[in-house]
Amino acid sequence: MTNPLSIFLPDSLLNHFDLLHVTELGEVSSKNMIYHIELAEKNDLHKGYNRLNYESKGFYPEKTIQDFPIRGKTVYLVIKRRRWREKQSRIEIKSDYSFIAEGSKLTIELSDFLKDTGRDPRRYDK
């Protein structure tokens, strides 16, 4: 059975991350309620790497990105990415997930949506 929250989150996010907490908070500056959805990368080594040669060394500092609102409330995904290290060379590797828009703190889906909504073709196609 799929997690019901997966219909609100970026595609296949829960395939790679475990849901830790969903917290509803009050945002002081806007006086609105927001959701913080905390996720931690699963303890699964990336494809193509031998688990015997690598060890999990905790997590990188968490990253907070904004996603689509749920029921009118702003949603922030708090992402904890796992830190992997090769045992002999001590070289670290990490997964490159494509759900974060490059150079922003938005999911790609939200970034694309915002780009499209700001463009009225009648203004530009003269």
Side-chain angles (χ1 to χ4, degrees):
M1 178 169 188
T2 60
N3 184 325
L5 193 57
S6 68
I7 63 173
F8 298 105
L9 297 174
D11 290 338
S12 71
L13 181 70
L14 294 179
N15 292 344
H16 305 285
F17 291 86
D18 290 320
L19 177 65
L20 300 178
H21 302 283
V22 177
T23 309
E24 186 177 22
L25 302 169
E27 190 173 54
V28 176
S29 61
S30 66
K31 297 183 182 172
N32 292 325
M33 297 304 286
I34 63 173
Y35 289 120
H36 264 223
I37 300 174
E38 294 180 46
L39 303 146
E41 186 174 7
K42 293 182 178 184
N43 194 13
D44 297 330
L45 187 59
H46 322 300
K47 291 181 182 176
Y49 293 96
N50 185 341
R51 180 115 178 144
L52 297 175
N53 297 331
Y54 288 85
E55 58 190 350
S56 175
K57 299 302 285 182
F59 294 92
Y60 288 99
E62 63 188 33
K63 188 170 196 170
T64 302
I65 58 173
Q66 188 174 353
D67 196 19
F68 279 100
I70 297 175
R71 304 203 46 84
K73 296 176 183 170
T74 303
V75 173
Y76 293 100
L77 305 177
V78 182
I79 306 287
K80 293 181 180 181
R81 294 174 63 189
R82 195 165 289 280
R83 183 186 308 257
W84 290 97
R85 186 171 68 185
E86 206 269 336
K87 291 178 183 177
Q88 289 183 346
S89 70
R90 304 245 190 255
I91 294 174
E92 291 186 357
I93 60 168
K94 63 181 176 180
S95 296
D96 183 26
Y97 296 107
S98 59
F99 58 84
I100 301 172
E102 190 173 328
S104 78
K105 292 192 176 194
L106 305 173
T107 59
I108 285 183
E109 294 167 348
L110 180 58
S111 176
D112 288 347
F113 174 78
L114 292 174
K115 287 176 188 173
D116 287 344
T117 58
R119 180 160 162 63
D120 180 357
R122 295 173 296 183
R123 291 176 52 196
Y124 302 100
D125 299 335
K126 291 184 180 184

